[in-house]
Each structure stands twice: as structure tokens, then as C-alpha cells.
């Protein structure tokens, strides 16, 4: 009987399309296929196969691609993500599916050379030195050979042209070597050792009886014969030559979870690993990763700022002997494809990646670690609005593998889940080696004011002078990029605003530009006011890190100053180099934005000065207090992580604010208790649920009218409140006017079903109107 395949296409489409399966082609669910779509060819994934009695006028599948299929757990994650976020299922698939044109830009081919046995046409001294080194017949890279012989690269090229050296393509460097779980076990404190023991006990079910078979995993761990393949696995092995090993890996993982090792009813937990800054959480979860690798499983470590993790990768290499595979937007071309294939075949044991790594096709995932789980960077704010921390928990449950959420300042949602028994909880209450947490003092800016035209209080200036005189480092923290957040004309009052967004242009003096931090629009800073034409009247208002750097250079002209900001020229490579310089003590004063607060270890840093501790406290975001507490706790925690004790000074106009008071007292538990009680009383997450609908259009009146029509169709049932539409705080972004509606429900309400029904009966989207749905919003701009 003819077969029909339901193909899901990685486009903004919410349902699969039906295609006829040609005679002689056998397809299974998960296969990646090529199909016609309109006048062009595209790719899709088989989401279902059914028999079709009689003939069919459906267009046929063009063919199956010789790539690993999308495994069942990953398809389940795509379905779950689409249901939860109300995103088109095809958009969710696009994050998990490798499209062929992604590999178009391949890796640079490495060329190796060796002696051919033919004498050179001109046997100069330099050439003879090269041939002397190459006489052993070993295959070397051109640069390596030139360096070993002490000659220029042109000498090697000349010998290749003469035929005295033969060139051949070298095999690509492996994307990741197998980590050794016993390479270098670091000494652990008693608290760390207890945490490791508890963590591994939570991760693993009871040991199996002696008569149970051990699984034979692909990387050599375990003994015995591989289990038999399922019918689907046998089909894959028979019809997909390059997929055979993935089929075996999937079968072995299934065997391990159901008949091989451990209790069949065991459900892997989600574990909160909470520890003060400097307590050694990384070393603790490294031991969990090592346990996972010993058992032949794969590990995924998610990080909020993957481009800035050189120090973390060095620590990983010290522990495991090699660096892990890394996955982020900067990995492209053939290397990206090789990582995907290595993960799918079970050959890559550990991946450290950004949130998109969550959708890699792991063959036998054994643990997911979400480092700094509280970070807002885990929320994707465009396309499919998902939170990587929450989706990591979902994938862990689908794969039945433990998920470790690590943080010194856990999110309120995670703390409540731990307190109510949904998550396990491990606490490291003290710093490693008995080091003390930094002493924190408030500088009341109402009385301890900086001098006119300055932004650093006299007491903080004195503390920096004392610190650098002792040979230590000081960090001045201001979470504001650029030179000044606003530029205006003193003559006419004109303020420079983005042409595409309702935001002020931020002056970047190093670049001599005014820049929009929403859409990236930039214009050259004018010499004269563009409104009134007068000269020398443009004034910067407020400080950014560049302006603080200017002030610090004037105060300490003989000191080495580094400014760390994500928008400086040089990108991630420059930042990595400068973070390394700071860690090695190669500067005296560091000036930075929030990126310096994210898990870096600066052993020479003993003083942190926060220049505007109140920033963020006055916003309308219901998480404003939580986020400010987390950020300040993290950044002050950079001090005193070496041999010397640390201290922190907070410049604030609100020393009595609960967040500032909690930091000064060191009583984080009090802050969590009060914040959790306030959330519960207000019915805010995690005790209630929120969803945002953002209506945007090129015309303001059109966007507002559609938002009002949506509100009229809301018909909220009991337990549901709909607020808005209201003009968004950022009313214009990238040339589109924005209005927001907010849905607030009780915890028991099926929010997704309500939203689907509401959108279905609401006004149809026409013209350039767009409606974005954000379940569990993190941003209220």
C-alpha cells in the first residue's frame, strides 16, 4: 500500500505537510528528507508515516538525506517547546535541525609537507636546513616546519615548488578529544566532598545486582555485547550507513534505562547546587560530569556568556586533560557540522555551550549543567521565546538524565522549587579554603558626594588608592556601556534620539559615535548641534564606563587601567585576552559592566566599588529587586577570592532599601524570604503565571487598534486577568510601534489553552501587524 509521510518543515509553520513516499524509498519517523515546496526544494523531518489506500495526487518526497535522523527525545522536545511557547512547530524545529547550507563555508584545509626524496634545484643553506629537519619523513604543517628549521615560510614554499617537498592535506583537527575523568582530581574541601557525594548519589539509582548485564557503550566504557536493535534501529542500520552507530547508541541508552543498570522506575532529579561566590561550585559539578563520563554518557554544560569562557575552559582542561567541544554562534561552517555529527554519534563526550546547545542531537545524554542559572541571558527574546534553564529541565525529564542548576544567587523560581521539594537542594555555605566573604559598606551619596563633574565618591577614591598602593587590584563597576547615556545641546535643549527606536543615543567617545543599544543604529557625533547649529554646546549627561575610565586615568595617571565592555572593538577575542590579563594581575584598576560579574576568578582583586548600586531598583519590572540583588551579590563576590581578604563599597542614594540592606548584612536568606513572600502575596511567578502579547506595526495607530481589538476579544475566565493594551516602555523599536498586553493567571489555570482560544477568536493579523507571544516573560520593555 502506498505510504504518505507527514513532513515538518523548519519554517514558521505550525503543522506538518503530507508528501507521497516514492516506491523503493522507505522512510522512518525522524528521517531528514528533501522535498519540493512551491517552486523550490527544501528540507524537512518525517514527523509521521501512514498508509494511504489507493492513489494520491500528493507531491513526492525527493529523497532522504544521508545525515543522522532526529531522535525521538529531540522530536519530543520540539513538540513540547512549541506547545508551551505557542510558537509554530516549524520554528521550534529550526533550532534543532541542521540545514545543508549551514555547512557551505567549510573549514580551512590544513596542508602538511614532507620530504619527497628529490633534490632541490638550488640547494641554499636555508633550504638544506629545512630538508635536514624533514629528513625523518614526518608530516608537518608548513608553519611548524619553517619554525623548526628557523627559516621563513617562503623557503618552504620554494621547496614545494621545486618538488623537494610534497604537500598533502592534513586530517582536520578533532573538535574535541575524549576527556579523562581521572586526569587530575583537585583537592576538595570537606564541604565540597560532601556536596560531591550527595550530588552523585542523587544522580544515580541504586547499584544493580551482579547478574544484570552491563551496557556496551560506544566510547569503550563498560563490557559485554551490545543489546539487540529495535525494529526502527535495525531499519536505520540497514538503510542509513552513516547512521548505524547512532542507532546502536540509541538502543544502548534505551537498554541502560530499562533493562541494564539501575531501577526501572528511577526518575533523574533536578538539583539546585547553591553556594556563595568562591565556594567551588564548578569543582563540585565537574566531579558529577566526571562520573557521567566514566559511565559512558554525554554531558552538556550551559553557560550564559559562552564567548567569554576562556578561563572556564582552562579550568576544564586542568581537570580533564583536554578542552571540551564548544558550541555558540561563533562556531560555523564545517566545524559546526562536525560537532553535530560527533554529538549524534556519541563520539563527543562533553559540550560547553550557549542556550542553543540544548538542541544538539545527543546520542546518550547523561547530565545537563546550567551554570549561573539565574542569568537573564538564558531567555531568548526573539523568534521562539524560551528560557534555556526551563527547557534544560524539560529535556532532562525527557531523556531521564539529571539536571544541575548552579548559582550563588538562584532565581526565585528555582529557590521555591527547591524549598517545596520539586528540586533537590545542595548548599555550599562557605568559600573554599576558609576565605571570608568581602565586607560590604554603603556610601550614602546624599552626604558623601563626589566633587562637581566627578562620579566617584571621595571615600571610594581613597580606597582605590590604598588598594593599588598595596599591589592589589580594584574593580569599579557600572552597568552602563559607552561614555554617556544621553547627549543634549545646552543651547536649544535638543536630545539625540534613535531614528528607529524610542531610545536616546548613547555616546561612545572611543568610537566618536552616537549609538542605539536597541537596534544598533549609529551616527557620527556632530561638531555642531544638528538642531540649532551652534558649536561647543553638546553635553554628555550621566556616566558610562568610558567616562569613568577618563576620570580614573586623571586620578591615577601612572596606573594600568583596563575597561571591560562588550561593545569595545576586538569582540570576544579581545575580551578573553583582557580577562586573562586581569586574572594574571597585569593591570591595577578594572572598569567594567555586568560581564565582569559572571563567574570570573580574579585572585589579585581585593576591592570592588559599585558606582550606582541603585540602578534597576526603580524600574517597573517585578523582578527588579531580585535582579539587582543578584547582580550586586555577584559583582561584590569578585573581591577577596585570592589569599587576601576583600571588601566592597556601594555608592547609593537608598542605603535603607531592602536590597541594599540585605547585601550590607550578608543575610541573603532574609532577602529571599521577603521577596518570596511578596511574590506570593501578589500572585506573581512562581505562584502565578504571566504571558505578554506584544503587538507591533509600522504605523502607531494600526498597532494600537489591533491591540484594542485583541483586548475586546479576551473574555478572561475566572482566575485570569488581562491588562492593556498599553504603549510599551520602548514604544518604537527598529521602526515598529509596540503595544503590550499582559495576562496574569492563577497557577492552576491552563494558560496555553486560554491563549490559543483567545488568539483564535481575536482579530486576524493583516498587513505588517505582528503579534508576539511571550510565555513567562523576563523583559517588560
Amino acid at each position: 500500500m502506498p505510504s504518505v509521510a507527514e513532513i515538518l518543515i523548519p519554517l514558521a509553520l505550525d503543522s506538518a505537510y503530507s508528501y507521497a513516499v516514492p516506491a523503493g524509498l522507505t522512510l522512518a519517523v525522524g528521517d531528514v528528507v528533501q522535498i519540493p515546496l512551491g517552486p523550490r526544494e527544501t528540507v524537512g523531518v518525517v514527523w509521521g508515516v501512514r498508509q494511504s489506500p489507493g492513489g494520491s495526487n500528493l507531491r513526492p518526497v525527493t529523497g532522504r538525506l544521508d545525515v543522522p535522523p532526529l531522535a525521538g527525545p529531540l522530536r519530543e522536545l520540539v513538540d513540547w517547546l512549541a506547545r508551551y511557547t505557542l510558537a509554530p512547530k516549524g520554528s521550534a524545529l529550526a533550532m534543532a535541525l541542521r540545514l545543508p547550507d549551514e555547512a557551505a563555508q567549510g573549514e580551512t584545509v590544513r596542508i602538511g609537507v614532507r620530504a619527497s626524496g628529490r633534490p632541490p634545484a638550488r640547494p641554499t643553506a636555508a633550504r638544506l636546513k629545512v630538508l635536514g629537519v624533514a629528513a625523518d619523513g614526518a608530516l608537518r604543517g608548513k608553519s611548524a616546519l619553517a619554525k623548526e628549521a628557523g627559516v621563513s615560510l617562503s623557503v618552504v614554499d620554494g621547496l614545494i615548488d621545486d618538488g623537494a617537498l610534497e604537500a598533502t592535506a592534513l586530517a582536520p583537527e578533532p573538535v574535541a578529544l575524549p576527556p579523562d575523568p581521572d586526569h587530575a582530581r583537585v583537592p576538595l574541601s570537606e564541604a565540597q566532598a560532601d556536596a560531591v557525594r550527595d550530588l552523585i548519589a542523587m544522580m544515580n539509582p541504586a547499584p544493580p545486582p551482579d547478574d544484570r548485564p552491563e551496557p556496551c557503550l560506544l566510547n569503550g566504557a563498560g563490557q559485554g555485547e551490545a543489546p539487540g536493535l529495535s525494529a526502527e534501529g535495525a531499519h536505520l542500520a540497514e538503510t542509513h550507513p552513516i547512521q548505524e552507530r547512532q542507532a546502536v547508541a540509541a538502543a544502548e541508552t534505551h537498554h541502560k534505562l530499562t533493562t541494564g543498570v539501575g531501577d526501572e522506575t528511577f526518575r533523574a532529579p533536578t538539583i539546585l547546587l547553591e553556594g556563595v561566590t568562591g565556594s567551588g561550585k564548578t569543582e563540585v559539578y565537574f566531579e558529577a560530569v566526571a562520573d557521567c563520563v566514566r559511565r559512558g554518557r554525554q554531558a552538556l554544560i550551559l553557560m550564559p556568556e559562552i564567548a567569554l569562557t576562556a578561563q572556564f575552559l582552562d579550568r576544564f582542561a586542568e581537570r580533564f586533560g583536554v578542552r571540551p567541544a564548544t558550541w555558540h554562534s561563533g562556531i560555523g561552517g564545517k566545524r559546526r557540522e562536525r560537532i553535530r555529527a560527533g554529538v549524534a554519534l556519541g563520539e563527543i563526550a562533553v559540550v560547553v555551550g550557549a542556550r542553543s546547545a540544548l538542541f544538539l542531537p545527543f546520542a546518550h545524554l547523561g547530565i545537563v549543567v546550567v551554570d549561573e542559572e539565574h542569568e537573564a541571558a538564558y531567555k531568548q527574546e526573539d523568534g521562539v521565546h524560551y528560557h534555556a534553564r526551563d527547557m534544560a529541565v524539560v529535556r532532562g525529564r525527557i531523556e531521564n538524565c539529571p539536571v544541575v542548576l548552579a548559582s550563588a544567587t538562584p532565581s526565585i523560581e528555582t529557590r521555591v522549587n527547591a524549598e517545596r521539594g520539586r528540586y533537590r537542594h545542595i548548599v555550599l555555605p562557605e568559600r573554599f579554603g576558609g576565605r571570608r566573604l568581602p565586607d560590604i559598606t554603603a556610601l550614602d551619596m546624599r552626604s558623601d558626594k563626589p566633587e562637581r563633574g566627578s562620579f566617584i565618591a571621595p571615600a571610594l577614591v581613597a580606597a582605590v588608592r590604598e588598594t593599588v598602593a598595596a599591589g592589589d587590584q580594584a574593580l569599579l563597576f557600572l552597568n552602563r556601556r559607552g561614555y554617556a547615556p544621553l547627549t543634549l545641546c545646552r543651547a536649544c535643549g535638543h536630545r539625540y534620539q534613535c531614528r528607529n527606536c524610542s531610545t536616546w543615543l548613547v555616546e561612545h567617545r572611543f568610537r566618536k559615535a552616537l549609538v542605539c543599544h536597541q537596534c544598533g543604529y549609529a551616527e557620527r557625533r556632530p561638531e555642531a548641534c544638528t538642531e540649532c547649529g551652534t558649536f561647543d554646546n553638546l553635553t554628555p549627561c550621566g556616566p558610562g564606563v568610558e567616562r569613568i575610565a577618563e576620570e580614573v586615568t586623571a586620578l591615577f595617571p601612572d596606573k594600568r587601567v583596563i575597561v571591560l565592555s562588550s561593545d569595545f572593538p576586538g569582540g570576544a577575542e579581545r575580551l578573553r585576552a583582557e580577562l586573562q590579563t586581569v586574572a594574571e594581575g597585569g593591570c591595577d584598576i578594572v572598569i567594567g559592566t555586568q560581564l565582569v560579574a559572571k563567574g570570573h576568578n580574579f585572585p589579585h582583586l581585593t576591592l570592588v566599588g559599585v558606582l550606582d548600586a541603585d540602578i534597576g531598583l526603580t524600574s517597573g519590572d517585578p523582578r527588579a529587586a531580585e535582579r539587582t540583588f543578584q547582580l550586586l551579590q555577584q559583582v561584590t563576590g569578585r573581591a577577596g577570592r585570592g589569599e587576601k581578604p576583600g571588601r566592597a563599597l556601594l555608592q547609593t542614594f537608598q542605603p535603607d532599601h531592602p536590597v541594599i540592606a540585605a547585601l550590607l548584612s550578608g543575610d541573603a536568606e532574609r532577602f529571599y524570604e521577603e521577596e518570596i513572600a511578596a511574590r506570593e502575596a501578589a500572585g506573581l511567578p512562581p505562584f502565578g503565571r504571566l504571558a505578554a502579547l506584544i503587538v507591533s506595526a509600522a504605523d502607531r495607530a494600526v498597532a494600537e487598534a489591533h491591540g484594542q481589538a485583541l483586548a475586546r476579544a479576551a473574555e478572561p475566565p475566572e482566575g485570569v486577568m488581562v491588562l492593556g493594551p498599553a504603549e510599551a516602555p520602548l514604544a518604537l523599536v527598529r521602526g515598529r510601534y509596540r503595544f503590550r498586553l499582559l495576562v496574569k493567571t492563577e497557577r492552576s489555570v491552563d494558560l496555553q489553552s486560554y491563549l490559543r482560544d483567545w488568539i483564535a477568536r481575536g482579530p486576524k493579523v493583516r498587513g505588517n501587524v505582528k503579534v508576539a507571544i511571550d510565555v513567562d516573560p523576563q523583559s517588560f520593555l
Side-chain angles (χ1 to χ4, degrees), residues 234-288:
H235 160 74
L236 293 174
E238 182 179 338
T239 60
H240 296 58
I242 78 164
Q243 297 168 354
E244 180 177 359
R245 294 175 67 190
Q246 188 189 31
V248 174
E252 289 171 342
T253 301
H254 175 75
H255 174 73
K256 181 167 186 176
L257 292 176
T258 58
T259 64
V261 175
D263 184 352
E264 293 179 25
T265 62
F266 173 73
R267 296 302 301 168
T270 298
I271 304 161
L272 168 60
L273 176 59
E274 180 179 1
V276 299
T277 54
S279 59
K281 296 181 292 297
T282 303
E283 285 72 19
V284 170
Y285 71 67
F286 272 177
E287 295 309 311

Side-chain angles (χ1 to χ4, degrees), residues 62 87 99 149 157 184 195 221 262 286 307 323 398 406 425 451 463 469 556 592 595 660 664 675 687 702 712 759:
T62 304
L99 298 179
D157 288 332
F286 272 177
R323 286 194 168 203
I398 291 172
H425 196 184
E451 296 180 6
F556 306 98
L595 66 86
I660 305 298
L664 297 178
E675 187 68 13
F687 305 101
V702 171
R712 289 192 294 270
I759 295 298

